[in-house]
Structures are given as C-alpha cells and as structure tokens.
Amino acid sequence: MDISHLLDDLNPPQREAVTSTSPAIMVIAGAGSGKTRVLTHRVSWLIEVERLSPYSILAVTFTNKAAAEMRGRIETQLNMSTRGLWVGTFHSIAHRLLRMHWREAGLPQQFQILDSDDQKRLVKRVIRERELDPAHYPPPQVQWWINNRKDEGLRAANIDAEGDHYLSTMVQLYHDYEAACERGGMVDFAELLLRSNELWLNQPVLLKQYQERFAHILVDEFQDTNALQYAWIRNLSGKDTQMFIVGDDDQAIYGWRGALVENITRYEQELAPVEVIKLEQNYRSTQTILSAANGLIEHNQERHGKNLWSDGEEGEPITLYAAFNEQEEARYVIDQIEASIADGADRDQSAILYRSNSQSRAFEELLMQRNIPYRVYGGLRFFERAEVRDGLAYLRLVANRNDDAAFERVVNHPPRGIGNRTLELLRAEARRVNQSLWTTAQNGSAWGLSGRAAGALQKFSELIEEIARECADTSLADSIETTINRCGLLEHYAGQRSEKEQARVENLEELVNAGSLYQPDDEESELDPLSTFLSHAALEAGENQGDAWEKCVQLMTLHSAKGLEFDQVFLTGMEEGLFPHSRSIEEPGRLEEERRLCYVGMTRARQTLCITHAEARRLHGDTRITSPSRFIREIPADHLREVRIRGQVEAPVYRPGSSLSSAQPTANGLRLGQLVAHAKFGEGVIMDIEGDGSRQRVQVEFSEVGSKWLMTDYANLQPQ
DNA sequence: TAACGATCTTTTTTT
DNA sequence: AAGATCGTTA
C-alpha cells in the first residue's frame, strides 16, 4: 500500500504523532507547527492504513469552522465521503447524542436549543418572578453564574449554599431557571454537555456501547476545555480507547470563560503514561518573529516549556511605532498597508489586531475615508439578527408551543395589542399553575383576564395554530416560507420604508432561502426537519457578514485572530491598561493570560510584524496619557526597530517609562502635540509632521475648523 | 403602546 | 462618546 502521501510532507515529530500507537498521546503543538495537518493526517492514517472504520473515530473541536475544515481536509485526503466519522464541536456532538437518546436523557423529543439571548430573557423572567431587585441580581451576571456552575458540572441541587444569603438566592434562581427550561423543553448550550455527561453517568449500558464504538478520540485545542468538557471526554473514553489530544498551553486565552489549562497536566497524570510529542518547528513566521515571541512568552512562569524555531529566513525586524494618539496610530498603520498594497500585496494579507472591539473605530474611519475595503470580525451573525431571530421564534412556536422564550419574543411583535400588563398577568398565572405561557394563554378569560386581552391572545393562538396547520405536511422550505409570510413581520417592516427596514425584509427572505438550502446530517435525517433546522440555527450562528468576497483588510480582536495567519500583522494599542487590560493587571494568572494573548497575536504574522502604541488615547470619553505596554519591554530589544514619523530616524521614540517625551521638536520649534495658533484657523494641536526644510508640512487639528495640512514656511504658526 | 429622555456601563466570545 | 437599558410620560 502506498502511504507516502500521508507521511511525505511531515517532519519527524509530526510523523510520530500521526502514526503513534500509544494508548494516550498528547501533542503540544506550537503556533504554526502544522497542528491541523497532524490531526487530519492521523484520522486519514487510521482509516486508510490501520483500516479502522470511520465509525469508530470521534474528533472534537471548539468551533464549527475548525470542524468543517477538518472534515473537508480528511475527505480530500481520502478522496471518499466520511460518512460515519464523527467530527464536530463539543456542543454539536452532545446535541446529536441527545437527539438520538432523548428518552434516556429525560428530554421531550421536540426539545429546543436556547441560545444565550433567549437564555438571558428567561433568566430575567425568573428574577422578576422571585421579585428580586434586578439591580442586585443583574440578569447577565446571574446567567453567567448559572453557566459557570453548569460548566463545572454542578446542578442547583448539588450546590450547598451553607446559609450564605447571596449564594442561596443564586441557587434558588438556578433552580427556577432549570424548572422553566424543563417546562418548555428547552436546553441551553451548557446544558447540552451537562445532560449528555449525565447520560454517561446514568446509562452505563449506553455509555459502554459508545466506549466500545469509539476506538479513537481526538480532541483539538485541549487547553481550552473546561471542567465539564474534560469530564465528558474522560467518561466517554473506555479502557481500550486511544486518546489523542492536541493543545498548546501558550495559547490558552479563554481562562476567563472557564477553560482550564491545567487539564493538560491533569490528562498527563490521569492517563499516565502519556506519550508527549512536541511540535516546535514553525512553518509560518520568520525567525525574528519567533524569537521575539519566544522572548515574550518566557516571562510566564506557568508553562510546559517549548521553543519555536524555524529554518526559514531571518526576516525583517519587528517595527515599533509610537503614535501621538489613536488617530495618528491609525494613520501610520494604514499608510503602511497602502504602501504594501501599492507593492502588490493582497489587502487580505494585512491584519490589524487590537485588544478590545472599541479600538476598531479609528481604523474603520480612516479606511472608509480612504476607500480601502475592510472587514471587521465579530459582531452580529446572520442567525443572531433581531428580525431573523423573530422569524425563528415563530418557527419555534410552530414546532413547540411550550417554548416560552419564543412566545415572549413574538407574542406582541408585530404589535397586536398584547401589552405589558397582559403579559405580566399571564406570566403570573403561568407560574401559579406551573404551565407554559402558551397553555395558560389558551383560557385567558377563565382566570380573569379582560375580554379584550383574552381576545388578543386568542387571536395570536389562532394565528400560530393556523400556520402550524398549513405547515403540517409540507417540506421544511415551504414551512419556513409559510411561517414568514403569515406571521406578519414582513408587513410590519414593509410598512416603514427606511433602509434598515428594507434590510430586515431581505434578511427574512434570506431566512427562507437558508431553509431551502439546509441539508440535515445523515444521522439526523430521520428526525423532524424543522427541529433540526432550528437547532442548526442555534448551534451554528452563520457567517459573520457574508459580504462580497472582495479582498479586504482584516480587522479583529486578538481573541478572534487565534488560528489565523497573515503576511503582515499590526499589533495595535500596546499600552498599559489597554493591553494588558487594566482588569487583568492585578492577578498574576490573568496577566499571564494577557501575555499569551500577545504571543498569539505575534505568531499570527508570516512576514512582518508591527507593534504600535499611542501616547494619548481617548477612552470612555476622555483623553488620557498612556505608557507603553510592559509586553513591549519584554520583547528582546534586538528584534525591534523603532520607527520615527515618516521614516526620519533620529533619537529613539520609545524609552521605557517615558510618555510624551518622544515628541521631538523640529528645527523650527514645532513638535507633535504642540499647541499652536494660526491667524485664520485659530488654535490647534500639531498632529503630524512630515518632510523638512522648505518642504516641511504639519497637520494641525484646529478646535474650530478641524484638521488641516499646512506648509510650515507659509503657515506662520505661533507656538502657544 | 410607543416614544422619549435619564441613567448606567464600558475585555476578550463560542456554542 | 456611545450604546444599551429602563422608567416615565404622552
């Protein structure tokens, strides 16, 4: 058998990882070391060389994107369909199990997935019903708390509040929330995992069956697993299961949402002896970038220890630019990008990375002004848009009348005269009789609702029943079309003719389209298509902004940059308080996570890396003087090159500890940040200086007339 | 019931 | 500064 195509382009440790027969393997895969390749080649190897049935392999990832990429690559390698092979996110696999074993899991067959938005509404309701002050118990915080408990594998009944008032209230809310979910047949994200883990614990026969089925379990991004995911994996693995995990402790950046890097060590201890394979050869970045990143990450105490190297080129030094403020920072970065594009680089090979989303603004404004196409990652995705969610809520009611979250969402949207007062009474009554809102609404006048309110609810019920009847024996696509057309949302938006409403109508039409394109997975094909479509919508929120695939400059947070790579990377806003973020500075553990985030950012770059910081930045309304990030100082200085304004290299811009000292005066006494007066334009601040002698010009931000470029020889600016 | 104004808040994000 | 949320008012 010719197996060369699976091994030829691998280095020795990669090859060892792909072919190893140890019962427990741990691959510590540095950034850019070919992690995905190892994972996919191993699966292909198992199937093609070891002749394992795809049916006996389970591969788990964190994102749908990673799962899709893995499946795609495996199919290409094997040149066959991967039917039977389970590749998916923790959540999608747990979901699949629950759909198959809903009875054993104690769920109604039609259970629906509650996304975080619905979850928040439900939590809010539970708080209201307890008559607690939402200021004392903010819904997002309660939601966060509940999810954290679930991620730890704890149910309300398992938590001992020990007389602590706050804690016991939280437990009570958790309890109410569980009851509300139960009543409506709803399962939130964390619940998917918790339930299926309980399925393992409560159904030993079923568990054994799966343990025997999966001879191989592969887990990607192991450093991001939380306690529940760890338990889930451990329970599922039988004594003959071969475990293959891939992770990188230096890229653990999700501790704040419950991920436990320690799971790596824990795995190593619990499954000893574990074969540890380190992938340290990097195929992405220049040696300079790697050395710099290594130098930085060495400042962390808690490490497995690993040193990335490359046999590629030394590459350019990392440039460091000290901007006057965030606008000037944007100007510098975008000038550089424009220059590289002029040199023939692709726009989408430049990425601007930042710590927090609000920083994208200055960049976006300038990119827009200069007509450079760009794409900002993050933000609302298709299935998260309000109108799409409304449409889905109608569908959910059609599928399951007891879905209270969906009921609340659309009962008066579009407005049909069911006001808050009515809803309040309805909620109270539903709670009293412990029934869903839908059921309670059916006999409004019987429990004392005014004739008018009861009538309005009646009409709403009839509408839903009617839609359901029309959808009864049609295809999924037709059901969705019927629902969207009949629910009244289209008319509601069509009435108003602004651009926004136009877009909403289009999105609803797109939802119909999404339904007709939807193909259930093989295992799901015999289940109710509407339910699986709704789950799909919740589990996979869709493309970010599937806008035209024109090549765009990429803007994103450092977190969303993980897993991506670009020729040219700008690491911006490298200032104390912003990055590392002020809320992380106190705790050593958090600070180390910030440092790993910086490491992740740096290692995204293939060719060039540029680090920028502003000496003054407008944040939350006021301008403050900032100092450069400690991370800049932690990068070995010999890999850095400081850049002056427009390429004039003189005294170093950056000196540790200095803030505004870098604004060097020019020959005629003007310097950045200088307050000046102009005969016609009034007072202003110097934002930029370029050229010298008779060709020197300065950019002044005037308080009256805005920003102007002026030739210094003619402007006659008076320093103030 | 909707619309307006006051008040509050502000890291990172997937499922 | 800006956006979301909330309570009050017309």
Side-chain angles (χ1 to χ4, degrees):
Chain A
M1 181 181 15
D2 181 22
I3 52 169
S4 56
H5 69 287
L6 289 176
L7 298 180
D8 271 1
D9 48 353
L10 300 181
N11 65 32
Q14 288 177 333
R15 211 173 279 193
E16 169 61 19
V18 166
T19 60
S20 170
T21 54
S22 308
I25 302 158
M26 174 161 86
V27 179
I28 301 291
S33 64
K35 172 196 76 164
T36 311
R37 172 184 289 186
V38 164
L39 224 30
T40 57
H41 280 239
R42 178 162 176 94
V43 174
S44 299
W45 175 268
L46 293 174
I47 294 173
E48 194 168 325
V49 181
E50 298 199 6
R51 292 283 156 202
L52 272 137
S53 157
Y55 186 79
S56 64
I57 300 170
L58 171 67
V60 197
T61 64
F62 273 85
T63 65
N64 290 302
K65 198 173 150 202
E69 185 180 346
M70 202 156 140
R71 166 158 260 141
R73 286 219 223 170
I74 293 167
E75 281 184 0
T76 315
Q77 270 159 26
L78 294 177
N79 196 20
M80 61 181 252
S81 139
T82 47
R83 235 190 121 79
L85 174 70
W86 279 24
V87 183
T89 62
F90 277 101
H91 293 87
S92 72
I93 287 175
H95 171 248
R96 176 182 294 186
L97 286 161
L98 294 180
R99 284 273 172 228
M100 290 165 70
H101 307 291
W102 53 274
R103 228 184 289 267
E104 295 94 321
L107 285 169
Q109 186 173 18
Q110 303 292 328
F111 77 86
Q112 286 301 320
I113 297 178
L114 208 57
D115 68 22
S116 36
D117 200 70
D118 294 321
Q119 189 186 28
K120 196 163 91 198
R121 283 162 184 267
L122 201 52
V123 167
K124 208 187 249 171
R125 195 179 136 200
V126 160
I127 294 170
R128 215 169 23 211
E129 283 174 352
R130 281 267 169 205
E131 288 175 351
L132 293 166
D133 183 5
H136 240 222
Y137 296 89
Q141 219 159 293
V142 176
Q143 177 187 20
W144 172 267
W145 187 86
I146 292 175
N147 286 336
N148 272 271
R149 298 295 79 71
K150 289 195 179 192
D151 285 343
E152 290 167 355
L154 295 172
R155 293 220 169 266
N158 302 329
I159 303 168
D160 182 10
E162 279 180 60
D164 181 327
H165 176 67
Y166 176 77
L167 196 58
S168 61
T169 312
M170 290 302 245
V171 173
Q172 215 161 50
L173 290 173
Y174 185 4
H175 218 282
D176 292 355
Y177 170 77
E178 277 179 326
C181 288
E182 189 77 24
R183 205 165 45 226
M186 293 174 297
V187 172
D188 63 48
F189 290 131
E191 183 79 16
L192 288 169
L193 280 158
L194 187 53
R195 281 267 175 171
S196 65
N197 192 49
E198 285 167 355
L199 192 63
W200 298 153
L201 300 176
N202 301 332
Q203 308 285 334
V205 180
L206 190 69
L207 172 62
K208 189 146 184 288
Q209 189 186 315
Y210 278 103
Q211 285 177 338
E212 281 165 8
R213 165 173 174 179
F214 294 123
H216 290 271
I217 297 177
L218 299 91
V219 188
D220 191 15
E221 307 273 24
F222 200 77
Q223 76 283 352
D224 289 338
T225 51
N226 62 34
L228 180 55
Q229 287 157 340
Y230 185 89
W232 188 88
I233 287 284
R234 286 284 283 128
N235 284 327
L236 179 56
S237 55
K239 56 181 190 313
D240 297 322
T241 307
Q242 196 180 9
M243 294 293 297
F244 186 90
I245 68 149
V246 183
D248 181 1
D249 52 321
D250 287 335
Q251 292 187 71
I253 56 175
Y254 286 112
W256 53 274
R257 63 174 196 209
L260 301 169
V261 213
E262 308 89 278
N263 281 346
I264 291 182
T265 351
R266 192 170 162 199
Y267 170 91
E268 216 179 341
Q269 284 160 4
E270 291 184 4
L271 281 88
V274 173
E275 180 184 3
V276 179
I277 300 166
K278 285 189 185 176
L279 304 182
E280 298 179 289
Q281 182 174 3
N282 172 292
Y283 296 94
R284 180 187 293 157
S285 313
T286 63
Q287 188 57 254
T288 302
I289 291 169
L290 292 179
S291 310
N294 284 335
L296 174 88
I297 202 68
E298 269 166 24
H299 287 80
N300 272 2
Q301 304 296 311
E302 305 283 332
R303 290 188 71 211
H304 237 262
K306 164 167 58 26
N307 228 345
L308 284 184
W309 60 278
S310 153
D311 61 7
E313 291 174 18
E314 192 64 23
E316 294 288 304
I318 294 163
T319 51
L320 175 64
Y321 182 77
F324 173 60
N325 61 16
E326 75 272 10
Q327 279 142 30
E328 209 266 316
E329 177 184 48
R331 199 228 72 219
Y332 175 78
V333 169
I334 291 164
D335 279 353
Q336 298 297 303
I337 293 177
E338 274 193 317
S340 72
I341 293 170
D343 278 351
D346 283 334
R347 270 193 295 268
D348 62 347
Q349 279 310 317
S350 291
I352 303 174
L353 310 184
Y354 35 80
R355 175 66 234 265
S356 61
N357 286 113
S358 61
Q359 288 167 256
S360 73
R361 219 192 146 94
F363 296 104
E364 284 189 73
E365 277 169 4
L366 199 55
L367 285 161
M368 197 121 56
Q369 194 184 316
R370 298 206 189 168
N371 266 319
I372 303 171
Y374 65 91
R375 178 180 175 200
V376 186
Y377 280 63
L380 279 192
R381 288 167 300 177
F382 180 71
F383 286 116
E384 289 166 353
R385 295 176 188 192
E387 63 278 12
V388 175
R389 297 177 49 78
D390 289 340
L392 289 170
Y394 277 101
L395 285 165
R396 277 162 49 189
L397 275 184
V398 168
N400 169 13
R401 306 288 189 288
N402 295 328
D403 188 331
D404 281 357
F407 184 96
E408 290 232 23
R409 190 173 179 102
V410 296
V411 65
N412 197 36
H413 187 63
R416 20 176 104 79
I418 302 169
N420 224 319
R421 181 83 194 116
T422 308
L423 276 179
E424 212 119 282
L425 289 168
L426 177 60
R427 287 190 202 107
E429 176 65 11
R431 191 169 139 68
R432 197 180 63 80
V433 297
N434 197 26
Q435 291 286 336
S436 69
L437 293 173
W438 174 270
T439 315
T440 316
Q442 298 316 299
N443 54 352
S445 33
W447 47 266
L449 215 53
S450 76
R452 188 168 150 187
L457 279 174
Q458 181 65 29
K459 270 187 82 181
F460 174 68
S461 302
E462 277 165 18
L463 174 67
I464 300 294
E465 291 293 4
E466 210 172 293
I467 294 174
R469 228 174 296 126
E470 282 181 48
C471 293
D473 291 304
T474 56
S475 69
L476 172 66
D478 289 342
S479 304
I480 296 176
E481 192 165 1
T482 307
T483 309
I484 299 303
N485 286 335
R486 297 286 321 270
C487 70
L489 285 173
L490 285 175
E491 293 84 342
H492 175 66
Y493 291 126
Q496 318 154 15
R497 244 231 239 26
S498 72
E499 254 177 74
K500 229 182 186 169
E501 273 66 37
Q502 201 52 45
R504 289 184 196 279
V505 171
E506 279 168 25
N507 281 329
L508 283 171
E509 284 162 356
E510 186 55 34
L511 176 59
V512 174
N513 191 36
S516 62
L517 292 176
Y518 173 69
Q519 290 280 341
D521 301 349
D522 2 306
E523 274 86 0
E524 295 168 347
S525 49
E526 65 264 33
L527 297 165
D528 169 31
L530 182 52
S531 295
T532 54
F533 174 73
L534 290 169
S535 305
H536 164 83
L539 239 32
E540 200 164 340
E543 248 322 284
N544 253 321
Q545 316 149 343
D547 286 354
W549 274 122
E550 188 179 14
K551 295 209 163 170
C552 292
V553 172
Q554 312 280 304
L555 276 72
M556 67 193 83
T557 63
L558 286 152
H559 282 90
S560 32
K562 187 160 135 189
L564 304 177
E565 56 181 84
F566 311 91
D567 286 344
Q568 185 177 32
V569 167
F570 295 87
L571 219 49
T572 67
M574 291 278 282
E575 296 136 38
E576 282 293 299
L578 195 59
F579 189 30
H581 194 272
S582 51
R583 295 169 80 143
S584 301
I585 287 179
E586 310 292 317
E587 248 178 282
R590 302 233 135 200
L591 184 65
E592 294 213 346
E593 184 156 304
E594 296 276 311
R595 192 176 282 112
R596 292 194 290 268
L597 192 55
C598 185
Y599 174 81
V600 166
M602 293 175 77
T603 53
R604 299 308 97 195
R606 280 194 281 252
Q607 305 294 328
T608 58
L609 176 62
C610 171
I611 292 172
T612 65
H613 64 99
E615 291 171 331
R617 181 178 297 271
R618 214 183 168 88
L619 205 62
H620 309 318
D622 44 31
T623 305
R624 50 186 82 174
I625 304 298
T626 64
S627 54
S629 169
R630 66 189 73 189
F631 298 150
I632 295 178
R633 246 164 299 160
E634 293 172 0
I635 296 171
D638 47 329
H639 299 305
L640 288 177
R641 184 180 64 200
E642 291 167 24
V643 176
R644 300 259 11 233
I645 321 286
R646 299 275 163 123
Q648 299 172 33
V649 183
E650 284 164 30
V653 170
Y654 160 62
R655 279 180 241 107
S658 77
S659 54
L660 276 173
S661 63
S662 60
Q664 299 290 316
T666 61
N668 46 21
L670 299 177
R671 59 178 169 80
L672 283 182
Q674 168 92 54
L675 195 62
V676 293
H678 182 272
K680 205 164 126 204
F681 300 136
E683 283 195 351
V685 177
I686 297 190
M687 305 299 282
D688 197 2
I689 304 174
E690 68 174 34
D692 46 21
S694 64
R695 280 176 311 174
Q696 185 187 60
R697 45 183 215 135
V698 294
Q699 185 186 34
V700 186
E701 178 75 30
F702 291 104
S703 45
E704 303 289 317
V705 294
S707 169
K708 301 253 183 242
W709 278 101
L710 303 166
M711 300 299 288
T712 14
D713 275 11
Y714 303 105
N716 192 23
L717 295 168
Q718 301 299 320
Q720 295 294 292

